[in-house]
């Protein structure tokens, strides 16, 4: 024999997946409190104004109007131009998505108010978007409808005396007045794959109603199909555009979806379950009901993009409940799980061996399917105590990385409260009040922007030593203020940022791409005061002290590892190798986050979730690794960004770097030290990343620009370049044999195609049989995702 029993037990039963390091966080608890601190009076500045920043980016002359909140449901918008506008009936359009592209354009009526008056254009709704929340409430069938936010697009300069098309159209968000405050809707996916909805509480609400839009196939279909969202005007005028009421609850969470169908169903009360996430499908919305009145729809949560993470049922060939097996050795180690998008994946079966063996009948052994709630019983005819012991030893290890990304919490209201005025600081004189809402907003916008442009920008000491990552005046303005640990940031100079979608998008980019923004606990935008309000984990002086330490250490590292004659590719490898050789993953911090359900971490672990952890303390989780990699790249003059998404369904952060062949993926967290797999995702294309179950999200950059970072060329991927990828069983055997003959003691080969694991074991036996007899017993083998790891 040559260690094959050892190989089989380690490879099939003790998964190396516990080493996958996908857990990371960037903050923790809620920001908002009833009392807000006063705006700081003393801020050190360098004499640079907001207007100076705008000139730097060439945006000082950009046209903009502030959003119009809480307009009447039947509002007719009136726009006055200084030139005849009749030549283009598309001068003003209305959309449901902030990008205001043609596919999101809704049907409107454009009129001139009087004959011969071609300088004034009136725009009104033809039929409502997302109609009939409550069929008994006729208001919901009228006017603009129930989309959370709408966007007016103005294509011509209203101040020009001749018809002049704008290079950059003016986008004006507006919301429709709601009788009741609108909840903010969010979702979560538990570690056992259960989908949940939760929302913010509306004070005094009697109940909350849940609505759903979905597409249905035949009764046997499991697929979760996408429904048209904001980018496709919610499928205006189609059957899928109408939200259907599926039930109501008193609290602010929905856990059990089936109970709306069959009563008080509770998954936890069943001893046998072969399915979960039943009835989870399409898009969801929530409304609040108070004193007999119902709010407008909340923002939506789409399950389509999540459906590959949501287990649905055991496949027919994996159905195990009450099945009879001859002996314990014949029990399946894996079960095929179907997800709500119809995809299939294998999950470990975990058997409960704390059972009493029946001498005169079949022994009942309970089981669970890992990372699901699916469970049941199997019967085994012949069982011994040795069998149970072997089964217990074969139980897959608990994964250390079943954690989720705990983002800095954004508690901004998606839809402003009903008491937020349509026009900020509306004119007070009777003459001005006679103006249209649109003219008043135009005048007030100019006044506010002019005032905001004269504000001075802070001058934190640290910006002398680092690169500020920004592409617009707004981004640099936000980055500088957060680097200076400001708690209140006025946005009156930036009308384009004053709605949920816009400010959330730009804040995510600024926070992720500026690694010295530290300890940001959470934030919200105040619609009344046009102020961004932020909370930090520590006082400003403590954070600034950390910034100085990070810069000093990073400069020291770069001076040591980066040599003058290095190519960009060599410099990136030097940074990767430095992190592998000098840092380690903080599993204690991860365990703490897990114990707190990933909603917060104890203060003593905060550093492991920021640049300070890896850069100074040399320990951290993936957010810290990605930020440190970005920091070192910036100082070395390299192009790199932080990206977010998930790995094997677990939220994760890594980097993209720019080489001569374009952007590539680099994951410095899952290195040889932390995962046992060297260069697991290194210089890889998006296609390779996807094959390794990395999924990119949109949270690291503005949505409209994410395509700029597509990684298309995988030729420099570590396993491709070093010929360590096998695309067939024979190729795997050949490469393993070659590596064994060279004397390597730690061999990693990546599978570039789907190959049955049992066939891999048989092929490994053949390769190992070529070793001397005394060396064969020393070999062990394991797997990590698509990687086969062989140790001698």
């Amino acid at each position: 024999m040559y260690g094959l029993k050892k190989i089989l037990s380690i490879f099939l039963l003790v998964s190396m997946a516990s080493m996958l390091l996908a857990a990371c966080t960037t903050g923790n608890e809620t920001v908002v409190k009833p009392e807000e601190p006063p705006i700081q009076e003393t801020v050190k500045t360098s004499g640079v104004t907001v207007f100076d920043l705008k000139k730097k980016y060439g945006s000082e002359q950009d046209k903009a109007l502030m959003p119009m909140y809480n307009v009447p449901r039947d509002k007719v918008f009136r726009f006055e131009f200084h030139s005849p506008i009749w030549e283009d009936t598309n001068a003003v359009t209305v959309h449901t998505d902030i990008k205001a592209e043609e596919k999101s354009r809704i049907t409107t009526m454009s009129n001139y108010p009087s004959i011969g008056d071609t300088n004034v254009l009136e725009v009104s709704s033809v039929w409502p978007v997302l109609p009939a929340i409550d069929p008994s409430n006729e208001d919901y069938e009228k006017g603009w409808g129930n989309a959370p936010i709408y966007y007016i697009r103005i294509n011509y300069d209203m101040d020009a005396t001749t018809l002049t098309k704008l290079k950059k159209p003016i986008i004006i968000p507006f919301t429709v007045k709601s009788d009741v405050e609108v909840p903010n809707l969010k979702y979560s996916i538990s570690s056992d794959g259960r989908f949940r909805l939760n929302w913010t509480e509306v004070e005094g609400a009697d109940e909350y109603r849940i609505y759903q839009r979905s597409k249905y196939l035949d009764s046997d279909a499991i697929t979760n199909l996408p429904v048209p969202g904001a980018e496709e005007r919610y499928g205006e005028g189609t059957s899928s555009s109408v939200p259907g009421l599926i039930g109501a609850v008193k609290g602010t969470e929905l856990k059990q979806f089936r109970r709306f169908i069959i009563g008080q169903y509770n998954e936890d009360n069943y001893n046998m379950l072969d399915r979960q996430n039943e009835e989870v499908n399409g898009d969801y919305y929530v409304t609040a009901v108070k004193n007999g009145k119902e709010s407008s729809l909340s923002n939506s949560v789409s399950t389509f993009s999540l459906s590959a993470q949501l287990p649905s049922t055991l496949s027919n060939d994996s159905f195990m409940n009450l099945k009879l097996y001859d002996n314990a050795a014949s029990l399946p180690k894996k079960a095929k799980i179907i997800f709500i998008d119809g995809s299939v994946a294998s999950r470990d079966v975990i058997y409960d061996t704390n059972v009493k063996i029946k001498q005169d009948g079949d022994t009942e052994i309970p089981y669970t399917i890992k990372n699901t709630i699916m469970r049941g019983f199997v019967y085994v005819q012949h069982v011994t105590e040795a069998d149970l012991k072997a089964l217990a030893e074969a139980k897959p290890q608990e994964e250390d990385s079943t954690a989720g990304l705990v983002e800095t919490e954004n508690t901004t209201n998606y839809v402003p409260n009903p008491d937020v005025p349509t026009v900020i600081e509306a004119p007070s004189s009777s003459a001005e009040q006679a103006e249209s809402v649109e003219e008043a907003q135009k005048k007030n916008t100019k006044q506010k922007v002019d005032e905001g442009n004269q504000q001075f920008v802070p001058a934190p000491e640290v910006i002398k030593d680092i690169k500020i990552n920004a592409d617009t005046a707004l981004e640099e303005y936000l980055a500088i203020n957060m680097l200076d640990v400001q708690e209140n940031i006025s946005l009156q100079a930036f009308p384009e940022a004053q709605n949920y979608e816009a400010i959330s998008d730009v804040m995510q980019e600024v926070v992720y791409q500026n690694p010295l923004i530290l300890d940001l606990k959470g934030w919200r935008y105040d619609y009344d005061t046009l102020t961004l309000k932020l909370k930090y984990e520590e006082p400003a002086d403590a954070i600034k002290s950390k910034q100085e330490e990070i810069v000093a250490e990073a400069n020291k590292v770069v001076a040591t590892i980066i040599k003058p004659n290095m190519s960009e590719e060599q410099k990136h490898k030097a940074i990767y190798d430095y992190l592998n050789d000098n840092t380690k993953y903080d599993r204690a911090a991860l365990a703490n986050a897990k114990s707190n359900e990933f909603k917060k971490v104890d203060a003593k672990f905060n550093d492991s979730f920021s640049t300070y952890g890896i850069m100074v303390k040399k320990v951290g989780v993936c957010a810290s690794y990605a930020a440190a990699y970005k920091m070192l790249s910036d100082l070395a003059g390299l192009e790199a960004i932080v990206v977010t998404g998930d790995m094997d369904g677990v939220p994760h952060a890594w980097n993209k770097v720019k080489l001569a062949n374009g952007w590539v993926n680099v994951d410095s967290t899952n290195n040889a030290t932390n995962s046992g797999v060297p260069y697991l995702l290194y210089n890889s294309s998006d296609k390779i990343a996807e094959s390794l179950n990395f999924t990119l999200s949109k949270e690291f950059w503005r949505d409209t620009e994410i395509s700029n970072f597509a990684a298309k060329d995988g030729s420099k991927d570590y396993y491709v370049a070093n010929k360590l990828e096998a695309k067939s069983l024979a190729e795997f055997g050949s490469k393993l044999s070659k590596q064994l003959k060279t004397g390597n003691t730690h061999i990693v080969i990546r599978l570039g195609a789907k190959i049955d694991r049992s066939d891999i074991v048989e092929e490994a036996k053949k390769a190992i049989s070529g070793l001397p007899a005394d060396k064969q017993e020393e070999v062990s083998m394991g797997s990590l995702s698509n990687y086969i790891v062989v140790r001698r």
Side-chain angles (χ1 to χ4, degrees), residues 718-726 735 739 748-751:
Y718 178 83
Y719 286 85
V720 172
N722 289 281
K723 300 184 176 175
L724 291 171
E725 183 177 60
K735 290 181 182 294
Q739 291 292 317
V748 182
I749 296 173
R750 186 173 72 202
L751 302 180

Side-chain angles (χ1 to χ4, degrees), residues 9-25:
S9 64
I10 292 176
F11 181 68
L12 294 177
L13 305 175
V14 183
S15 172
M16 289 180 63
S18 63
M19 300 301 290
L20 279 173
L21 302 172
C24 43
T25 178

Side-chain angles (χ1 to χ4, degrees), residues 173-199:
F174 74 90
T175 61
V176 173
K177 178 83 170 179
S178 174
D179 292 328
V180 179
E181 179 184 342
V182 179
N184 278 12
L185 181 61
K186 298 183 179 180
Y187 75 90
S188 63
I189 301 175
S190 64
S191 59
D192 56 13
R194 285 187 272 192
F195 178 72
R196 300 288 182 259
L197 290 174
N198 53 80
W199 50 88

